[in-house]
Amino acid sequence: MESLYPQTEETRVQRKMHGEDDSAANPSRNSRILAVKSFDVSDCDGTKEQSVKLCGYLNKLTGKGPLRGFKTRWFVYDPRKCYLYYFKTPQDALPLGHIEIADACFNYDVEVEEGLFEIHTEGKEFLLKAPNRQVMHYWLQQLQQKRWEFCNMSGHRDNWCSPTPCYPYTGLVAKDAEAMLCEKPNESMESVRSDFAVEMDSNGLVGLQSLRNPVAQPNAALNSFRNRVSEIRNSMSHLRPSRGGENRRSVFYTASSEDWEMVDPPTKDTLEHKPPPDSQRRESPSHLQRYSIGSAFTFDFRNPSRMKRPFHMGSGKPTRSAESSPVECNGTKTSELQLRIQSQQEEINRLQEQENQLREELAGQKELVCLLQQTLRSSQCDWGSTVSFGNMGPHSHNQAGNEVDKALAERDSQIRDLCGHMEKLALVKESLQQELKSLKIKVGEINEQLGMLMETIQAKDEVIMKLSQQSGNEGTQPAECNSPSATREQQELDILKDSLQGYKSQNNFLNKEILELTVLRRNAESREKALEAKCTSLEAKLCQVESKYLVLLQEVKSPVCSSSEQTHRGEVITRLLEDALQVESADQQEHPILKPNAVSEYDIYGFKTVPEEEDDEEKLEAKKRALDLKSLSLTDQETSVRVKWDNYLAITMNREMVRSPELKALMRSGVPHNHRSKVWSWCVNFHVKKMRDDVSKDYYQNLLSTANEKPNPACKQIELDLLRTLPNNKHYASPDSDGIQKLRNVLLAFSWRNPDIGYCQGLNRLAAIALLYLDQEDAFWCLVAIVEVFMPRDYYTKTLLGSQVDQRVLKDLMCEKLPRLLAHFEYYKVDTSLITFNWFLVVFVDSVVSDILFKIWDAFLYEGPKIIFRFALALFKYKEEEFLKLQDPMTIFKYLRYFTHTILDARKLMSMAFVDMNPFPLRQIQNRRTFHLEKVRLELTELEAIRQTFLRERDNSLDGRTLISDDEEDS
């Protein structure tokens, strides 16, 4: 991993902050960074989203040329984009591709192979095959329903950067968004659609339960056998002699669970892999040859009742078409031919194996000859060297020469023997090759004879069908029930009934498909007209704004000559200010096209954009701030972040998210609004997983039951703070708001879980922010994660010891990161902890604008409390120059109270927090916390001793005083 990406973490973050990341364009790099976790089937039953997940195995036609054929793929539907992703296995992290269901249309033919259906989208055609017709109907109806729901959801096309619906899954914000985006369905249209719908059951072959179903999973042995059969088909394709102009069929037998398949020779269209037009497709059955498996063998996707199969091979049950086929009457010749073909194939395989063994033996003999020749050469060289020695006597010389001659003679004889053996092996090889060729010719002839025989059988079958129909129309007397002809007629009648039912189902499906496509097309046209009208209205409004701006400039520029002109100018400016302060109210939302307004009454989080109790100047400033935030949210950088998140969640669809450098960089860039519920829920579950595993599943409900049955000392304070939590958010603005009861439940449950803290002011705001994107139970565990995992002990107790320690740690960090600004504050004796204390206690709630607040929480829930220090320093860094210009303590403190609300550029702030503040090790913060903790504890101990001394002195002074009543004084 380090060799692939040698840059440091901070360098990667810096590239992310400046938009130099190419993860969206290069998903393969993402896959290398991510730590892949296998898809565990045992974990599939927990979440609500997974329980209704549309997924399962389907066969997809893939490949080109000889490799073209059906392969088993794992399909998963993604409701965020209305994509149907397909993977090689359920454990894969990256999908092989996807099918856009939103723009797709579906079709299937009764006369082709069972379970085969087509999906057409954007000029592409996907051919899929289900295990049976029932599962095919289930998939088609589910995909139709998903397409209908997605296309009828208002706003799914308005997001120009991504087709993802712009709303989260859970939380108060999700409920508010669903009420705004989801259109009320047309009752008449829904009733018509339900009339065409057919109740279908997947039989456990669709959904996460299909992972446990052995029928749905491909059999490894069966696949290997099918691959072997395909290889034999391709190797034998050249044996079939072609006859010009004849379209003969040949028969090939397999021993798999499938019956034998009748195939046709390839046509020009097949070789070019181009499907014929629809007109030709209906006029001639030759279009069925486009789904080829080999170069010479193609599937014939005809009606199973018309594909006459002589017998059923394999362990599966025979189909009705095989039982009713008249081929059984003439099965003697067919069986003999089939047995001959099998014996010939076994003989071919045996000869090929023998040929391979002979080749290996010949290669070994050649290697042995080469070794002997090398040994001979080395011996000759040794002999030459020994002759060169002059000190050797004649007797020793003659003796050595005789030994060498003997060795050479023995080796020569061995070489001659090996050469003779090689010649014999060559002769055997030639004879085996000739025998193999003759056997292949015989197989081809038998194959052709069998094809001719099958054509004859099919012709006879057609004649029988016509005669049976004629006899039925003429009203001939029925044969005896026990006669073979009556049984055959009954079988044919059953086949016709099945075909009729299949055509009825196809008719209902196609009628529903045509109806839905017509309605979707009309909706698209109306949406296009509405967008055109909205664009025209916005252009008109822009012209009005420009006109008012020019009038204002003219009034300001022209000098005032009289009081009447001054009054007129004041009226013009007042009228312009009134127009500028208008926001989109509930009445204007009924006509969003005729009265477009850039600023609505509430933002997407439910916070009020322009407060009502403020004066006109502050209202104008609030509206300007809302416009600036909206313009910043439409920048290319924000669009790039949304696209990166879409890509990341697409590749993690088949598995859970895991902590990684890529996910860390994405969290620091902010989570898009529509993904925040899912990401926050994962972050919370990651931090409290051990805690949740140690308690029961109904732990939260048990706490609520206890809180309702027994009084709690914190109940009174919780009730007082409910309406004071987020008064400017519509979810908590009144006692009848949706969030009030949920907030009450979360706080009461936490007070019973952690009685040491019970309730502390600040916990209500933390829980309220969590409830905007999480359900009650997840929000409760989010509060547990913040208080018991992220923050140190005694952070929310009565003494707030941990909060006081963090203020001193922040001051030390300012001395290191922002020394000029800290010196400026100390010079004018400004205590920043009066403002920053609340930042740490509630994690910037009500301290920054909402867009920045939730981006801070994104990183905070992933990394922990270190993020609070980063953004606290970044906020001061952002306005450092403005602070240094102020030269008065009161002015500095006044600006310190509201300066965070003037910061709107979240990207610039995050760049300062994650780039300018580096290095920022967590160990440094922990060490400083430990150091200041001891000091604060000593100070608190001294204060407690002083308090106790004061109380004792006060009690002694009260005991020494004599109190006299008014009556005694009067007497």
Side-chain angles (χ1 to χ4, degrees):
M1 187 68 66
E2 295 177 356
S3 61
L4 289 173
Y5 306 101
Q7 69 268 27
T8 61
E9 178 188 281
E10 302 301 337
T11 306
R12 286 197 301 269
V13 172
Q14 188 171 3
R15 292 184 62 203
K16 298 277 185 181
M17 301 307 299
H18 291 84
E20 298 175 2
D21 183 30
D22 56 349
S23 61
N26 189 5
S28 61
R29 173 179 173 182
N30 300 344
S31 63
R32 290 196 295 266
I33 297 178
L34 292 173
V36 178
K37 179 182 178 182
S38 298
F39 188 86
D40 191 358
V41 180
S42 61
D43 296 337
C44 295
D45 301 326
T47 62
K48 186 185 302 182
E49 179 185 354
Q50 289 175 337
S51 61
V52 294
K53 198 171 186 180
L54 180 60
C55 57
Y57 285 105
L58 288 174
N59 293 325
K60 181 178 179 295
L61 186 65
T62 57
K64 295 181 180 180
L67 301 178
R68 188 171 176 82
F70 283 95
K71 294 183 179 179
T72 304
R73 296 288 181 256
W74 174 257
F75 285 80
V76 180
Y77 175 74
D78 182 9
R80 298 176 297 107
K81 291 187 175 183
C82 199
Y83 282 3
L84 185 64
Y85 290 94
Y86 52 92
F87 301 81
K88 190 173 182 180
T89 63
Q91 290 78 22
D92 287 353
L94 292 175
L96 299 177
H98 68 273
I99 305 174
E100 296 184 11
I101 303 300
D103 299 325
C105 60
F106 314 106
N107 186 24
Y108 75 93
D109 193 353
V110 178
E111 297 185 356
V112 300
E113 189 174 355
E114 182 180 4
L116 199 68
F117 63 97
E118 298 176 355
I119 300 179
H120 301 267
T121 175
E122 291 186 355
K124 299 179 182 179
E125 180 180 337
F126 298 90
L127 190 68
L128 306 177
K129 186 170 68 173
N132 52 56
R133 186 168 297 172
Q134 187 176 6
V135 176
M136 177 194 71
H137 280 288
Y138 184 84
W139 269 102
L140 289 174
Q141 288 193 7
Q142 288 295 319
L143 292 177
Q144 277 185 332
Q145 183 66 23
K146 301 299 183 183
R147 180 188 61 188
W148 179 258
E149 294 173 355
F150 184 82
C151 294
N152 285 329
M153 182 173 53
S154 175
H156 82 279
R157 301 288 185 188
D158 299 338
N159 190 5
W160 56 273
C161 66
S162 172
T164 307
C166 297
Y167 65 90
Y169 291 108
T170 58
L172 298 172
V173 176
K175 185 177 180 180
D176 186 38
E178 288 178 359
M180 179 179 64
L181 292 177
C182 294
E183 298 178 352
K184 186 177 180 180
N186 190 343
E187 295 181 358
S188 60
M189 181 60 193
E190 292 295 332
S191 63
V192 174
R193 290 181 67 250
S194 62
D195 292 338
F196 288 123
V198 180
E199 292 295 332
M200 288 292 173
D201 188 12
S202 62
N203 291 331
L205 299 181
V206 181
L208 294 173
Q209 65 270 16
S210 62
L211 286 172
R212 304 183 182 89
N213 193 340
V215 179
Q217 300 186 21
N219 192 332
L222 182 60
N223 286 341
S224 62
F225 179 78
R226 289 177 179 174
N227 295 334
R228 179 60 180 168
V229 170
S230 299
E231 293 176 2
I232 297 175
R233 281 184 179 181
N234 296 332
S235 63
M236 294 178 61
S237 61
H238 67 281
L239 298 178
R240 299 184 61 207
S242 59
R243 299 186 180 182
E246 294 186 3
N247 186 15
R248 292 190 177 273
R249 300 184 184 89
S250 62
V251 180
F252 191 82
Y253 293 85
T254 65
S256 64
S257 62
E258 299 179 353
D259 297 339
W260 63 270
E261 300 169 358
M262 187 160 55
V263 295
D264 290 332
T267 61
K268 184 177 180 180
D269 294 338
T270 305
L271 296 176
E272 295 177 356
H273 303 287
K274 295 182 180 179
D278 294 339
S279 59
Q280 298 178 6
R281 194 176 301 174
R282 294 187 178 91
E283 293 174 0
S284 174
S286 62
H287 74 279
L288 299 171
Q289 300 171 1
R290 54 193 170 142
Y291 313 120
S292 63
I293 284 188
S295 59
F297 291 86
T298 58
F299 279 113
D300 187 5
F301 296 118
R302 302 173 187 267
N303 192 338
S305 63
R306 299 183 182 179
M307 294 173 60
K308 307 305 176 184
R309 305 182 179 187
F311 54 89
H312 183 79
M313 298 292 295
S315 59
K317 294 182 179 180
T319 60
R320 176 173 294 179
S321 60
E323 294 174 356
S324 61
S325 175
V327 180
E328 295 177 355
C329 301
N330 302 325
T332 305
K333 294 182 179 180
T334 307
S335 301
E336 292 178 357
L337 291 173
Q338 190 267 345
L339 293 174
R340 289 175 60 186
I341 288 177
Q342 285 186 348
S343 62
Q344 295 293 343
Q345 289 174 354
E346 292 175 358
E347 184 67 20
I348 289 172
N349 293 333
R350 185 183 63 79
L351 292 175
Q352 287 178 349
E353 292 177 359
Q354 188 175 359
E355 181 184 357
N356 293 332
Q357 292 176 0
L358 291 175
R359 288 180 183 274
E360 293 177 358
E361 186 177 356
L362 180 61
Q365 296 296 340
K366 287 182 179 180
E367 292 179 358
L368 181 59
V369 171
C370 293
L371 290 174
L372 291 174
Q373 290 177 353
Q374 291 178 0
T375 306
L376 178 60
R377 294 192 190 96
S378 61
S379 300
Q380 290 176 353
C381 294
D382 294 339
W383 172 250
S385 61
T386 54
V387 171
S388 62
F389 289 107
N391 55 354
M392 296 181 60
H395 179 72
S396 61
H397 179 77
N398 293 332
Q399 186 178 0
N402 294 331
E403 292 178 357
V404 172
D405 290 339
K406 291 179 180 180
L408 291 175
E410 291 177 359
R411 289 173 183 173
D412 290 338
S413 62
Q414 291 178 359
I415 290 172
R416 285 194 297 271
D417 294 339
L418 290 174
C419 291
H421 188 60
M422 288 174 59
E423 291 176 358
K424 292 179 182 180
L425 292 176
L427 293 175
V428 174
K429 175 186 175 184
E430 291 178 1
S431 63
L432 291 175
Q433 287 179 348
Q434 291 177 359
E435 187 178 357
L436 179 62
K437 289 180 181 179
S438 63
L439 289 175
K440 287 183 178 179
I441 294 173
K442 290 180 181 180
V443 170
E445 293 175 355
I446 294 172
N447 199 5
E448 186 176 358
Q449 292 175 4
L450 186 58
M452 296 172 63
L453 179 60
M454 289 310 303
E455 288 183 358
T456 305
I457 293 174
Q458 186 175 3
K460 291 180 180 180
D461 182 39
E462 293 176 356
V463 173
I464 292 172
M465 291 289 293
K466 291 180 180 179
L467 291 176
S468 62
Q469 291 177 359
Q470 290 177 1
S471 63
N473 295 332
E474 293 174 358
T476 58
Q477 296 180 355
E480 296 180 359
C481 297
N482 296 330
S483 64
S485 60
T487 305
R488 189 161 51 250
E489 289 178 1
Q490 183 64 32
Q491 291 175 351
E492 295 294 338
L493 182 61
D494 293 339
I495 293 174
L496 291 175
K497 288 182 179 179
D498 291 344
S499 300
L500 178 61
Q501 186 64 32
Y503 281 116
K504 285 183 179 180
S505 301
Q506 184 190 26
N507 187 33
N508 288 334
F509 169 75
L510 292 178
N511 286 334
K512 183 180 178 183
E513 182 72 8
I514 293 172
L515 179 65
E516 288 189 359
L517 291 177
T518 303
V519 174
L520 293 178
R521 180 181 61 83
R522 290 176 181 174
N523 292 342
E525 292 176 353
S526 61
R527 186 165 51 247
E528 183 180 0
K529 293 179 181 179
L531 290 176
E532 291 178 355
K534 186 175 182 179
C535 181
T536 304
S537 180
L538 288 174
E539 289 180 356
K541 187 173 181 62
L542 178 61
C543 294
Q544 293 177 3
V545 171
E546 291 179 353
S547 175
K548 294 175 183 179
Y549 180 68
L550 293 176
V551 169
L552 180 61
L553 290 179
Q554 185 179 3
E555 291 293 335
V556 172
K557 184 177 180 181
S558 60
V560 179
C561 299
S562 62
S563 59
S564 61
E565 293 180 356
Q566 187 174 2
T567 304
H568 175 70
R569 173 182 292 183
E571 292 177 354
V572 171
I573 295 176
T574 302
R575 190 165 55 253
L576 293 176
L577 287 175
E578 290 177 355
D579 294 340
L581 289 175
Q582 289 181 358
V583 296
E584 185 179 354
S585 63
D587 297 335
Q588 289 176 324
Q589 289 179 358
E590 297 178 359
H591 304 283
I593 297 176
L594 301 179
K595 296 181 180 181
N597 205 313
V599 178
S600 59
E601 187 177 4
Y602 296 96
D603 60 10
I604 59 176
Y605 314 104
F607 291 98
K608 201 170 185 62
T609 53
V610 180
E612 296 178 355
E613 62 274 5
E614 305 293 342
D615 54 14
D616 290 344
E617 183 178 356
E618 292 183 353
K619 287 183 179 180
L620 190 63
E621 181 65 25
K623 186 173 182 180
K624 174 183 174 298
R625 182 166 59 247
L627 290 171
D628 291 339
L629 288 173
K630 188 168 185 178
S631 63
L632 289 171
S633 66
L634 298 176
T635 58
D636 294 339
Q637 197 169 7
E638 294 293 333
T639 304
S640 175
V641 170
R642 288 192 287 267
V643 171
K644 290 177 181 178
W645 269 104
D646 289 341
N647 294 336
Y648 176 79
L649 293 177
I651 66 176
T652 57
M653 179 188 306
N654 238 13
R655 57 183 177 82
E656 293 183 357
M657 293 188 295
V658 293
R659 294 179 70 91
S660 62
E662 183 187 16
L663 181 57
K664 182 179 180 180
L666 286 175
M667 296 295 293
R668 288 184 171 186
S669 63
V671 182
H673 175 63
N674 52 311
H675 299 314
R676 189 166 279 134
S677 292
K678 179 179 180 180
V679 176
W680 279 20
S681 178
W682 175 85
C683 290
V684 171
N685 290 328
F686 176 82
H687 291 296
V688 299
K689 188 176 187 307
K690 293 182 179 179
M691 296 182 183
R692 299 189 73 166
D693 292 342
D694 294 338
V695 298
S696 60
K697 292 184 178 180
D698 54 351
Y699 176 72
Y700 175 71
Q701 297 299 330
N702 293 337
L703 290 176
L704 285 183
S705 301
T706 305
N708 294 328
E709 294 173 358
K710 300 178 182 179
N712 191 308
C715 292
K716 185 176 181 181
Q717 188 61 40
I718 289 175
E719 291 295 331
L720 291 175
D721 288 347
L722 286 178
L723 293 178
R724 294 184 296 186
T725 302
L726 294 176
N728 59 338
N729 190 291
K730 64 180 180 181
H731 301 293
Y732 306 99
S734 65
D736 298 332
S737 299
D738 296 336
I740 293 297
Q741 182 59 41
K742 295 181 179 180
L743 180 61
R744 179 186 292 112
N745 292 340
V746 172
L747 294 176
L748 287 175
F750 181 81
S751 66
W752 279 102
R753 171 182 168 81
N754 195 331
D756 292 340
I757 296 177
Y759 173 73
C760 172
Q761 288 186 346
L763 298 181
N764 55 335
R765 295 187 176 184
L766 297 177
I769 293 297
L771 281 170
L772 291 178
Y773 284 99
L774 302 174
D775 55 20
Q776 287 190 48
E777 188 169 359
D778 285 340
F780 164 76
W781 286 110
C782 179
L783 189 61
V784 172
I786 294 173
V787 177
E788 301 181 13
V789 179
F790 290 165
M791 299 304 189
R793 294 183 59 184
D794 300 330
Y795 211 89
Y796 294 97
T797 55
K798 295 180 180 179
T799 59
L800 299 176
L801 178 63
S803 303
Q804 298 183 50
V805 170
D806 278 355
Q807 297 308 306
R808 303 193 181 192
V809 175
L810 177 63
K811 189 174 182 181
D812 292 346
L813 294 175
M814 286 186 66
C815 181
E816 177 184 347
K817 306 290 184 182
L818 303 170
R820 294 172 55 211
L821 185 60
L822 180 63
H824 185 72
F825 287 151
E826 290 179 348
Y827 179 78
Y828 288 101
K829 298 181 180 179
V830 175
D831 187 7
T832 58
S833 64
L834 298 175
I835 303 298
T836 59
F837 188 85
N838 194 54
W839 294 1
F840 283 75
L841 201 64
V842 297
V843 195
F844 298 101
V845 178
D846 274 348
S847 297
V848 294
V849 295
S850 55
D851 285 357
I852 295 178
L853 171 66
F854 288 98
K855 287 181 171 59
I856 294 175
W857 271 65
D858 294 336
F860 170 70
L861 291 179
Y862 184 80
E863 299 186 45
K866 185 174 70 170
I867 295 300
I868 305 179
F869 291 99
R870 280 187 177 272
F871 276 95
L873 295 173
L875 289 171
F876 285 118
K877 176 72 174 177
Y878 198 104
K879 294 292 184 179
E880 182 179 11
E881 298 301 327
E882 284 77 359
F883 276 114
L884 294 177
K885 293 177 183 178
L886 302 177
Q887 304 295 327
D888 180 63
M890 293 301 298
T891 306
I892 294 174
F893 190 77
K894 183 179 179 181
Y895 185 64
L896 194 64
R897 294 180 60 184
Y898 73 88
F899 83 98
T900 54
H901 293 280
T902 63
I903 299 175
L904 306 179
D905 192 349
R907 294 294 154 200
K908 181 179 178 182
L909 181 66
M910 288 189 292
S911 176
M912 291 181 176
F914 297 119
V915 178
D916 296 348
M917 295 300 142
N918 288 334
F920 209 88
L922 180 61
R923 183 175 298 177
Q924 180 185 7
I925 296 177
Q926 294 174 344
N927 294 337
R928 293 180 184 273
R929 275 177 169 172
T930 304
F931 173 74
H932 289 291
L933 181 61
E934 299 299 329
K935 296 179 63 176
V936 174
R937 281 178 175 172
L938 290 175
E939 293 176 1
L940 290 177
T941 304
E942 293 177 359
L943 289 174
E944 182 65 21
I946 294 174
R947 190 178 72 86
Q948 293 295 337
T949 304
F950 172 76
L951 291 176
R952 286 195 300 270
E953 292 178 354
R954 188 185 64 177
D955 292 341
N956 295 332
S957 61
L958 289 175
D959 293 340
R961 293 172 56 186
T962 302
L963 299 179
I964 302 174
S965 64
D966 295 338
D967 296 337
E968 292 177 351
E969 289 181 355
D970 294 338
S971 60

